[in-house]
Amino acid sequence: MTTLDIHNKTQSEAQIIVKAFIRERFELRDYNILIVHGFGQMIMRNVVWSICENSKYVEKYELAPPRLGGGGVTYITLNKKKR
């Protein structure tokens, strides 16, 4: 599963990187991805979730299961076709 780690990024950097990553993975037909944002104050998780909520490429998103990082990672399933 393809993973993007956004630790040590600013919110602005993360927005750009995450949007590009989601679009790239969709175009490559890689429909299950992980974004590592860490635990902290959930600021970066909120950035990721806001992007997912507004992305035409995202079918669903949720915290990853414990074996994949749990609360510090978002598991994203991309649409197999654009909305």
Side-chain angles (χ1 to χ4, degrees):
M1 189 169 317
T2 309
T3 302
L4 172 66
D5 188 338
I6 58 170
H7 280 103
N8 302 317
K9 302 292 183 207
T10 66
Q11 290 180 50
S12 297
E13 290 171 332
Q15 287 178 347
I16 293 166
I17 293 166
V18 170
K19 286 177 184 178
F21 179 71
I22 288 172
R23 185 176 53 253
E24 172 189 274
R25 299 327 304 168
F26 174 83
E27 290 170 358
L28 293 172
R29 297 183 180 179
D30 185 7
Y31 298 115
N32 297 298
I33 59 176
L34 296 172
I35 298 183
V36 180
H37 43 70
F39 293 94
Q41 297 176 345
M42 297 191 304
I43 293 169
M44 294 307 257
R45 186 193 80 176
N46 292 339
V47 168
V48 172
W49 285 32
S50 176
I51 292 166
C52 289
E53 185 68 31
N54 295 297
S55 175
K56 65 184 176 184
Y57 302 112
V58 175
E59 181 177 316
K60 71 177 186 171
Y61 58 95
E62 60 194 348
L63 291 178
R67 66 183 173 77
L68 295 176
V73 178
T74 294
Y75 180 88
I76 300 172
T77 303
L78 300 179
N79 288 319
K80 294 195 174 165
K81 59 181 180 175
K82 289 184 189 178
R83 287 190 237 171

